[in-house]
Amino acid sequence: RKEVEQDPGPFNVPEGATVAFNCTYSNSASQSFFWYRQDCRKEPKLLMSVYSSGNEDGRFTAQLNRASQYISLLIRDSKLSDSATYLCVVNEGTGRRALTFGSGTRLQVQP
Amino acid sequence: DTGVSQNPRHKITKRGQNVTFRCDPISEHNRLYWYRQTLGQGPEFLTYFQNEAQLEKSRLLSDRFSAERPKGSFSTLEIQRTEQGDSAMYLCASSFRGQGSGANVLTFGAGSRLTVL
């Protein structure tokens, strides 16, 4: 089983739609969680950290469910510029400092 | 300082040759990471430095791979006797250890794309 699993998509949605991605992680001791965004042929960039209480940044909302070991990302009012791959990222703790990335979920927002 | 810098951006080599990539992190960042990414996959962790100490290495890092960060600033990743399976994007990232906004968040360079013929 992969440490971090995501649905690869692609998710094809019209502009203005609301779309949600889930990600599951295998290590219950995981401590830190993030969503990164990666545009085609570019490097990953931090979209947002995910806090236990959930957090929101504009049109983006991230949630963490430790009991079920998944995190989610909700994008409201999708824009064409949201088209990218969204990477779920977990720090597994237990002394590890490296982040483990999922394979990413590709989003294509269509006009 | 404009971010994490990686060189070269592209490298094409023949199987069996050695290649070296360089990463210059953000100057105030004390942590440096190397990842590898292939098409359709997320970045895979290779190794991590805190200052000049290499603190963690992935099982992916075979004995043909070696990384250094001699003065705790820039880092090099060398691949010896390259194989076609080494073809990938090699990403470097840096972060700073601390508290508050931005701490422990990875900032990536644009990557070095390796093609082994």
Side-chain angles (χ1 to χ4, degrees):
Chain A
R1 182 185 173 187
K2 283 187 177 180
E3 295 163 358
V4 180
E5 294 207 54
Q6 297 183 250
D7 181 343
F11 284 62
N12 295 303
V13 302
E15 271 186 291
T18 295
V19 61
F21 309 135
N22 283 338
C23 160
T24 58
Y25 58 95
S26 61
N27 187 343
S28 59
S30 297
Q31 297 177 351
S32 306
F33 309 89
F34 308 89
W35 284 100
Y36 275 67
R37 169 191 169 131
Q38 187 169 27
D39 293 301
C40 188
R41 296 187 176 275
K42 298 287 189 180
E43 71 274 20
K45 293 184 178 178
L46 177 70
L47 177 66
M48 59 196 305
S49 302
V50 185
Y51 303 123
S52 297
S53 55
N55 48 302
E56 187 174 310
D57 183 2
R59 298 182 293 109
F60 299 84
T61 300
Q63 297 279 350
L64 168 63
N65 184 320
R66 285 189 182 273
S68 301
Q69 294 180 211
Y70 77 82
I71 68 175
S72 64
L73 177 67
L74 181 78
I75 306 174
R76 290 181 299 278
D77 188 23
S78 299
K79 312 292 185 190
L80 294 176
S81 57
D82 294 333
S83 298
T85 295
Y86 291 84
L87 298 162
C88 173
V89 187
V90 175
N91 177 282
E92 296 190 339
T94 60
R96 291 200 67 200
R97 292 290 178 261
L99 300 183
T100 300
F101 285 73
S103 296
T105 298
R106 192 153 67 88
L107 171 66
Q108 184 67 48
V109 181
Q110 296 165 337
Chain B
D1 189 289
T2 57
V4 179
S5 176
Q6 292 189 244
N7 289 289
R9 292 292 308 279
H10 304 275
K11 179 71 176 178
I12 300 174
T13 191
K14 293 182 179 179
R15 190 172 47 139
Q17 297 296 304
N18 299 344
V19 297
T20 299
F21 301 118
R22 176 178 169 127
C23 172
D24 288 88
I26 293 172
S27 56
E28 58 266 29
H29 285 185
N30 58 356
R31 291 179 171 174
L32 187 147
Y33 305 77
W34 284 99
Y35 282 80
R36 179 174 70 185
Q37 188 174 27
T38 53
L39 193 63
Q41 300 298 313
E44 296 175 296
F45 170 71
L46 294 178
T47 190
Y48 148 69
F49 292 85
Q50 180 157 307
N51 300 312
E52 66 276 10
Q54 189 174 19
L55 297 186
E56 197 173 337
K57 291 168 63 172
S58 164
R59 291 186 302 274
L60 294 174
L61 213 66
S62 76
D63 56 4
R64 296 185 299 105
F65 288 70
S66 62
E68 294 182 344
R69 194 182 183 198
K71 297 182 180 179
S73 56
F74 73 93
S75 175
T76 57
L77 176 69
E78 181 183 18
I79 308 173
Q80 296 181 325
R81 305 181 303 281
T82 53
E83 302 173 355
Q84 288 183 323
D86 297 332
S87 296
M89 176 73 83
Y90 289 84
L91 292 163
C92 176
S94 67
S95 71
F96 68 89
R97 182 184 183 216
Q99 303 293 326
S101 175
N104 305 315
V105 170
L106 298 189
T107 300
F108 282 88
S112 293
R113 182 172 296 281
L114 174 65
T115 301
V116 182
L117 302 177

